[in-house]
Amino acid sequence: MRTRLAGLALSSAVLTALAGCGLSGTDSSDDQVDVTGEIKGTVTLQTWALKPKFTDYVQGVIDGFEEKYPGTTVKWLDQPGDGYSEKVLSQAASDELPDVTNLPPEFALPLAEQGLLLDVDQADDKLREEYVAGAVASYEYAGLTGVYGYPWYLNTDVNYWNTELLSQYGLDETKLPTTIEELVAQARIVKEESDGKVHLLSRMPSVEDLTKAGVDIVSSDGKEFVFNTPEAVAVLDTYRDAFAEGLLPRNVLTDAYLGNMELFKKQQVAWTTGGGNSINTIKVDNPSLAEKIVASPAIGTPPLYTQGLSVAKGSDNLPAAVALARWVTNAENQAAFAEVVPGIFPSTVATAEDPQFSESDGTNAGDAKKIAFTSLAEAELLKPVIVDQAMTDFINQQFSLAISGEITSQEALDKAVEKCNELLNN
């Protein structure tokens, strides 16, 4: 399942067509939309690459809806994984957007900007009461008022530590780092004790790290990037100094870098991050390593990865569309989906005490799952969805130059902000 989500790539042709559907940047929440009325008739539900693996589950949810609301018929559309964002935008440009559509926050953004999605916060007075706050906030956008999707299933990251390497190189698994400063300090111990053969810290900083440090990435109106601050400089300086000291692998800035998780699987580093089900994935590649792993909560604010269902504002059957979106994302149906798909979690407040998620079976995998689930209450979308892939690539390039010492951290941030604003305005 998609727990980490690709950036939105939009062709100029589709964007031009979509612009004809509404006014860019329109605050559609000012338009009152009546979602009351009898729940009956035909309503369309579009999902993203759930057939055939999850056909039985989704069809069961649909059957339950039609049984609960006699006189309704759900037409289920399922689109392939590749090119999904382009498909949705083409539907919108052709005035064929389904009544209810599976959209992660970054896919919903351009539709919300064009006034094509229903503000479900306005339409549903129980939204904030029944769904996890961070998940609801995923569908709030700078410069727009409203919430443009019902949260569906979630994931987050936790820390994974190789206890054998920690012990071998002088660290105590009962005193794991909880701050970046503690992480760097313990990385120094591992580097010294292993003569540089093993590392604890093995990844570059990202936009998410700036957010964790309290840096605003985008202005409150969503019109410009503003992350070239002293606090952001301090984050990059921390990594620059660590790199200069040899606390990170030398190839972390090159194409030869395998990635934090791959190095962890090879037991070349003692720490990585991953979803709540990552131990079971590691077991496939390195069964003996999986036995040595202990999990802990993410350092700082946990990241939030969200999937959701958005309702088309122009739906001909809004009462049924809203009811269907709520039905698919209710506590019971979400919990059942998480049973079918290990590693995802419900977005409903009602499942907070569900022992399926809130209790461990005593294994390290069970502990990781519990930690991930309980972290969701504090998890946030750390990278604004307005940050697209082109922006991310340029930011990472500038961060690499700063970490290597080729330019200062302030220069890197200034250039990144300038480029991101240029891309945003274009």
Side-chain angles (χ1 to χ4, degrees), residues 216-298:
D216 290 330
I217 308 302
V218 185
S219 61
S220 59
D221 60 7
K223 293 183 178 180
E224 64 176 335
F225 288 90
V226 294
F227 58 86
N228 51 339
T229 67
E231 292 78 10
V233 169
V235 172
L236 294 192
D237 283 352
T238 295
Y239 280 86
R240 180 202 63 201
D241 294 345
F243 181 77
E245 195 177 338
L247 305 187
L248 293 98
R250 301 309 299 177
N251 66 3
V252 73
L253 304 178
T254 72
D255 291 338
Y257 177 57
L258 296 177
N260 188 247
M261 178 60 80
E262 288 305 310
L263 292 177
F264 184 79
K265 290 178 183 178
K266 294 176 178 294
Q267 301 194 71
Q268 295 175 9
V269 304
W271 166 70
T272 190
T273 59
N277 195 45
S278 290
I279 289 180
N280 293 324
T281 303
I282 292 170
K283 282 181 181 179
V284 176
D285 296 328
N286 193 337
S288 63
L289 169 61
E291 299 173 359
K292 307 170 187 175
I293 295 174
V294 64
S296 72

Side-chain angles (χ1 to χ4, degrees), residues 330-341:
N330 71 25
E332 181 179 353
N333 285 325
Q334 287 211 49
F337 198 25
E339 288 185 10
V340 178
V341 189

Side-chain angles (χ1 to χ4, degrees), residues 1-2 4-9 46-52 77-88 102-104 107 153 307:
M1 296 299 294
R2 303 169 305 279
R4 294 175 179 269
L5 306 163
L8 187 60
Q46 179 164 284
T47 56
W48 183 10
L50 295 188
K51 287 183 178 181
L77 310 173
D78 188 70
Q79 302 294 343
D82 292 340
Y84 183 65
S85 62
E86 290 284 347
K87 174 64 177 179
V88 171
N102 176 194
L103 297 173
F107 287 17
Y153 54 91
Q307 283 286 346

Side-chain angles (χ1 to χ4, degrees), residues 148-200:
Y148 295 94
Y150 281 95
W152 193 2
Y153 54 91
L154 311 175
N155 207 343
T156 186
D157 284 343
V158 300
N159 290 320
Y160 290 107
W161 311 88
N162 183 323
T163 58
E164 183 177 74
L165 290 179
L166 294 180
S167 176
Q168 183 176 351
Y169 297 117
L171 298 183
D172 185 345
E173 67 178 80
T174 67
K175 299 178 181 179
L176 297 170
T178 59
T179 66
I180 185 64
E181 292 78 15
E182 291 176 357
L183 182 64
V184 169
Q186 293 199 17
R188 186 173 295 113
I189 294 173
V190 171
K191 183 246 182 179
E192 293 172 352
E193 294 293 324
S194 69
D195 292 327
K197 297 177 183 177
V198 173
H199 294 87
L200 188 66

Side-chain angles (χ1 to χ4, degrees), residues 101-122:
T101 303
N102 176 194
L103 297 173
E106 62 267 42
F107 287 17
L109 172 61
L111 302 184
E113 288 179 327
Q114 299 297 332
L116 300 178
L117 300 182
L118 181 68
D119 173 6
V120 294
D121 192 22
Q122 174 187 284

